[in-house]
Amino acid sequence: MQPTPFLSIIVPVYNVEAYLAECLDSILAQTFTDFEVLLIDDGSTDGSSALADAYAAKDARIRCFHKENGGHMSARQEGFRNSLGRYIAFVDSDDWIDPAMYERMCAAAVTYSADMICCNYTAVTPDKQIQRQDVCKPGFYNRRELEEQVYPILLYSGSFFHYGISPSLCNKLFRRTLLEKYLFRVPLSIKLGEDGLAAYPCLLGASSACFLADSFYYYRSNGGSLTHTMDHGRLAENRLLFDTYDKLIDLAAYPCMEKQLLYYYAYQCLLTFPPIFRGERTAGKNDRAAFLAECSYPPVRRAFRGIKTGSVSGLHNRAYVLCIRHGLYRLFRFLLAH
């Protein structure tokens, strides 16, 4: 019988031949060794599939699975189904991690018997590295402390737009039994914002969590394979994203989340509406109808009526808020052109 590892590290793989070796080498260089790695080849068409098999052949801790392309969350769910560990971690295949990451995080899991352990991360661009830090103070939080100190700033810290706690799955460890409750409730068609649909409900469902001050995870910010193109399909994704949050987060149990969700919905619209509608060469009736339909969609309408325009950063963003709030399509188009 195969021994049960303490940690399962799930790595979705899709057309990342240029980065995969660096990612896997950083995992194998961990000072903590009681782990398994599950490589989920999500229908790669480059050399990623063969490279994943080669790494699995060299190290018994690595298992490789091949599946038809189903998207990032589909690969993560497949990885979970095949995992054995008591705790679960995720690494994106174009990123890399510090050698001490899992030693420190797993030590915290053991010391505090915490449901979740979170660290900070560093965003890496071709020009610079930017360390991203969670708003809450480092340390251990029991359930009462989570409710009092973390949940009120979980998704929106009060500054537009800064998460209180990063939505990423990759800078966190999850107790297996906790993650299992929420990971499979994330719709597979969502390609932007899907991490938060698992991470935030897990935090709300956790009995305890530990936040580390260290930045152990390195996120490669580039135009690579995981970038999602902004088009009209994103509007449908926005709706599904908002509807899913409405279903997953019980506002009666967590009233502090209501305002946070409003600002998050507004942020997602401000992130997606301008590039989508700017991409249209001509402003026709269909384009106008699509804009007005999104403005009147209940979660969007609720968000733009509920947020304060002055709390939104950037003059153009504030103008966009007014346009979306009142359905001012012509002014919106004018602003996109200037």
Side-chain angles (χ1 to χ4, degrees):
M1 179 178 292
Q2 188 172 0
T4 300
F6 183 86
L7 178 66
S8 294
I9 305 168
I10 298 170
V11 184
V13 176
Y14 180 71
N15 289 355
V16 285
E17 183 179 7
Y19 305 119
L20 184 58
E22 182 180 14
C23 172
L24 297 182
D25 288 343
S26 75
I27 295 174
L28 296 178
Q30 291 296 294
T31 53
F32 178 83
T33 58
D34 188 11
F35 63 80
E36 65 172 352
V37 181
L38 297 99
L39 303 180
I40 312 300
D41 171 35
D42 193 35
S44 295
T45 57
D46 65 356
S48 299
S49 178
L51 187 56
D53 282 334
Y55 268 84
K58 290 190 298 183
D59 195 309
R61 294 173 297 178
I62 300 177
R63 292 187 284 150
C64 188
F65 301 84
H66 302 276
K67 60 186 285 296
E68 292 184 1
N69 182 255
H72 210 48
M73 186 55 68
S74 171
R76 285 168 166 170
Q77 292 179 359
E78 180 69 10
F80 185 94
R81 280 189 285 266
N82 289 280
S83 66
L84 301 171
R86 286 184 282 160
Y87 281 83
I88 307 294
F90 299 94
V91 177
D92 283 348
S93 50
D94 49 355
D95 299 336
W96 69 95
I97 59 177
D98 185 277
M101 178 171 176
Y102 291 132
E103 181 177 1
R104 290 287 305 280
M105 297 184 81
C106 291
V110 171
T111 299
Y112 298 106
S113 189
D115 282 345
M116 289 181 62
I117 301 88
C118 310
C119 70
N120 292 307
Y121 72 94
T122 300
V124 181
T125 71
D127 302 319
K128 58 185 175 180
Q129 295 188 4
I130 307 169
Q131 186 171 329
R132 304 294 190 185
Q133 293 184 311
D134 289 332
V135 171
C136 68
K137 293 181 180 179
F140 173 76
Y141 293 74
N142 61 28
R143 178 67 187 188
R144 179 183 58 80
E145 292 166 336
L146 286 172
E147 291 175 346
E148 293 177 353
Q149 301 176 46
V150 176
Y151 297 166
I153 50 88
L154 183 63
L155 200 146
Y156 174 62
S157 67
S159 178
F160 197 89
F161 190 85
H162 294 285
Y163 298 103
I165 307 299
S166 162
S168 174
L169 293 175
C170 294
N171 65 335
K172 299 174 177 65
L173 255 61
F174 300 85
R175 190 186 298 276
R176 179 186 191 86
T177 51
L178 174 67
L179 181 63
E180 190 172 23
K181 295 177 183 178
Y182 302 104
L183 184 67
F184 293 92
R185 300 178 68 180
V186 180
L188 299 183
S189 60
I190 295 179
K191 302 298 189 296
L192 189 65
E194 75 274 23
D195 278 33
L197 289 173
Y200 292 133
C202 278
L203 276 164
L204 290 172
S207 60
S208 61
C210 186
F211 295 87
L212 305 182
D214 307 85
S215 181
F216 289 129
Y217 191 91
Y218 292 86
Y219 162 70
R220 192 188 306 273
S221 180
N222 58 26
S225 61
L226 299 183
T227 299
H228 185 57
T229 303
M230 294 290 183
D231 55 27
H232 270 69
R234 270 292 304 147
L235 299 178
E237 274 194 44
N238 271 355
R239 291 190 178 203
L240 182 57
L241 180 69
F242 304 159
D243 290 344
T244 305
Y245 267 115
D246 282 350
K247 292 176 183 176
L248 291 179
I249 297 181
D250 182 358
L251 295 182
Y254 305 105
C256 65
M257 294 301 299
E258 183 172 9
K259 176 183 175 182
Q260 295 182 61
L261 286 172
L262 294 183
Y263 276 90
Y264 176 70
Y265 295 168
Y267 166 69
Q268 286 292 337
C269 290
L270 293 175
L271 184 69
T272 56
F273 281 20
I276 288 171
F277 289 99
R278 187 183 294 119
E280 296 297 304
R281 294 184 178 180
T282 58
K285 291 184 178 180
N286 291 339
D287 202 29
R288 178 178 182 276
F291 175 79
L292 294 178
E294 297 311 308
C295 293
S296 62
Y297 193 65
V300 176
R301 186 174 67 248
R302 191 169 72 245
F304 281 90
R305 288 180 177 178
I307 68 171
K308 296 181 179 179
T309 306
S311 65
V312 177
S313 59
L315 184 59
H316 261 69
N317 277 335
R318 292 174 187 171
Y320 292 151
V321 167
L322 293 174
C323 291
I324 297 170
R325 178 181 292 163
H326 299 291
L328 304 175
Y329 174 69
R330 288 186 179 179
L331 179 58
F332 185 73
R333 292 293 308 194
F334 175 81
L335 292 170
L336 291 179
H338 293 81

